[in-house]
Amino acid sequence: MKNSTPIALVIIMLLLISSCKQSQDARRPISHSSGSFMKKSILRNKKLVATEELQIQNVIKNNPNIVYLASKKGYWYSYETRNVSDTLTPIKGDVALFDYEIKDLSGNVIYSKTELAPQTYYVDKQNILMGLRDGIKLMRKNEKVNFLFPSNMAYGYRGDNKKIGTNQPLICSVFLRDFMPENKYKMAISSPTTAPIDSIVKPKKTKKIKVGTKLATDSLN
């Protein structure tokens, strides 16, 4: 009877080890499946990017008289109006005042300048299209730039649930009317005579203006 206790303990230990091993083996297919899904997802994304880049390159090829520049962020742009006398561009802490319209790659207008209304953008403090967020910081006052954005720099795989479809590359034509430090902008809207009227857009209390996928009143913390 005295020897039966150690034997029972050994049997229990062996059962526990065997159970743990079976549990670990049972989890392997899940890990394998997850890895396979990720590989397929990456492959799909690569194909999508390649397809959209080809579409954008066709736009560039079909407009040989326009000089397109490639950005480091993965989009292309060209100047319709260029300001060579100024050197300053918007930075974080500035307020940018601009107009823009959105087209498909065939040049068909999706959202007109009138529909989108004058935009007031607190640089790097509000959610707007990723492409615009970067592109506006390349612009100088009174410049008009046409941006060719792949879908990942625009509305992505969701679109805007209205006129812009899934994974749709876009042309955004942007005119930067003015920009200034935030404190100067606040002073200007409180005393309109201190700045040109056409440069200042006062926030409207009864209407919210959409910029990109977020409301212009949304801020980033």
Side-chain angles (χ1 to χ4, degrees), residues 87-98 121-124 132-143 174 176-181:
T87 58
L88 296 178
T89 57
I91 59 174
K92 185 175 182 179
D94 285 343
V95 177
L97 309 171
F98 69 96
Y121 168 52
Y122 289 74
V123 179
D124 284 346
L132 282 180
R133 183 169 181 163
D134 186 73
I136 284 175
K137 291 189 288 187
L138 300 177
M139 299 179 67
R140 301 168 185 173
K141 182 180 175 180
N142 291 324
E143 285 189 333
V174 182
L176 181 60
R177 292 183 288 108
D178 202 356
F179 65 91
M180 63 194 74

Side-chain angles (χ1 to χ4, degrees), residues 4-151:
S4 63
T5 300
I7 294 173
L9 288 174
V10 170
I11 293 172
I12 291 171
M13 290 292 292
L14 289 173
L15 288 172
L16 286 173
I17 293 171
S18 175
S19 175
C20 289
K21 187 177 185 303
Q22 289 177 359
S23 177
Q24 290 176 354
D25 290 343
R27 293 177 183 174
R28 286 178 185 173
I30 297 174
S31 175
H32 176 73
S33 176
S34 176
S36 176
F37 174 81
M38 288 298 294
K39 288 179 181 179
K40 289 179 180 179
S41 178
I42 291 170
L43 184 60
R44 281 196 301 268
N45 287 336
K46 285 182 177 180
K47 287 182 178 179
L48 177 64
V49 169
T51 299
E52 292 186 9
E53 284 188 357
L54 181 60
Q55 292 173 339
I56 290 174
Q57 289 302 322
N58 285 336
V59 172
I60 295 172
K61 183 179 178 181
N62 292 332
N63 293 277
N65 295 326
I66 299 176
V67 177
Y68 286 93
L69 304 173
S71 78
K72 295 179 180 180
K73 298 290 185 177
Y75 61 86
W76 290 258
Y77 61 100
S78 65
Y79 288 91
E80 191 167 326
T81 304
R82 192 160 192 175
N83 177 359
V84 294
S85 60
D86 293 335
T87 58
L88 296 178
T89 57
I91 59 174
K92 185 175 182 179
D94 285 343
V95 177
L97 309 171
F98 69 96
D99 302 305
Y100 79 120
E101 67 179 8
I102 299 175
K103 307 173 187 176
D104 62 24
L105 292 188
S106 297
N108 301 309
V109 176
I110 300 174
Y111 290 109
S112 68
K113 183 176 73 172
T114 303
E115 289 178 281
L116 295 172
Q119 302 291 337
T120 303
Y121 168 52
Y122 289 74
V123 179
D124 284 346
K125 292 186 178 182
Q126 289 176 265
N127 282 332
I128 63 173
L129 292 185
M130 188 183 298
L132 282 180
R133 183 169 181 163
D134 186 73
I136 284 175
K137 291 189 288 187
L138 300 177
M139 299 179 67
R140 301 168 185 173
K141 182 180 175 180
N142 291 324
E143 285 189 333
K144 185 174 183 180
V145 176
N146 295 315
F147 295 96
L148 304 180
F149 293 136
S151 64

